[in-house]
Amino acid sequence: MIRIGQGFDVHQLVEGRKLIIGGVELPFEKGLLGHSDADVLLHAITDAILGAAGLGDIGHLFPDTDPTFKDADSAKLLEEANKKVLATGFTIGNIDCTILAEQPKMKPYLGQMKAVIAATCQIEENQINLKATTMEKMGFIGQEEGMGAIAVALLQK
């Protein structure tokens, strides 16, 4: 059996927060606002694998109303979600993602991000594809008010 899930996440850029994307801290003057560390890429991946397994979404599993998840490491949340997916008998076939951000440039960090995602999801790096694009100065992402990510995951049983 093969199932496909998609995930999408956005967060506002603010001063006074670390910028963490794909489990990697990037040098930047702003970070993403959220209850957890606001890692848009890992949140999108979490939603994609949960969706493919029919297990809801990140907000259902790790609600932002629960103080337990305040400033949580999104890699830990993805790891817990992956354990739930594995418990259903599914494994990840592949993950494909796009990061939406004007800056900083993501290309220098994509390899590190893949390594974190692979280790967290217990898969090989060649099962992950990461891309980054700008919004050509349009919309809230293009105006550098926030960032987003889109992910698609294929699960197999």
Side-chain angles (χ1 to χ4, degrees):
M1 176 187 294
I2 295 175
R3 297 195 48 174
I4 298 170
Q6 61 85 31
F8 173 75
D9 194 39
V10 294
H11 284 279
Q12 180 183 2
L13 275 166
V14 295
E15 292 184 10
R17 297 259 311 183
K18 293 179 182 178
L19 179 60
I20 301 170
I21 307 288
V24 177
E25 186 176 335
L26 281 63
F28 197 61
E29 64 269 10
K30 292 182 179 179
L32 295 170
L33 182 62
H35 187 66
S36 66
D37 63 10
D39 186 327
V40 292
L41 179 57
L42 296 188
H43 290 183
I45 293 169
T46 302
D47 271 350
I49 67 170
L50 289 171
L55 296 174
D57 63 19
I58 194 170
H60 175 77
L61 220 57
F62 311 108
D64 63 6
T65 55
D66 187 338
T68 306
F69 306 115
K70 178 75 174 134
D71 299 321
D73 178 345
S74 293
K76 300 275 188 222
L77 303 181
L78 175 56
E79 182 177 40
E80 286 303 310
N82 189 52
K83 285 179 185 176
K84 292 187 179 302
V85 169
L86 292 171
T88 68
F90 282 104
T91 58
I92 296 171
N94 75 297
I95 298 170
D96 187 31
C97 310
T98 304
I99 303 164
L100 310 168
E102 290 299 313
Q103 60 175 322
K105 294 297 182 195
M106 299 291 159
K107 188 174 182 179
Y109 307 101
L110 295 178
Q112 289 174 269
M113 292 176 192
K114 280 177 80 166
V116 169
I117 295 162
T120 302
C121 292
Q122 302 173 27
I123 59 176
E124 299 297 318
E125 287 185 37
N126 65 8
Q127 292 174 268
I128 303 162
N129 189 57
L130 296 181
K131 306 171 293 288
T133 191
T134 68
M135 298 296 289
E136 301 294 333
K137 306 286 184 197
M138 296 182 293
F140 74 93
I141 293 173
Q143 297 299 312
E144 299 181 28
E145 296 172 11
M147 293 183 178
I150 303 164
V152 177
L154 181 136
L155 301 185
Q156 49 202 15
K157 192 182 264 193

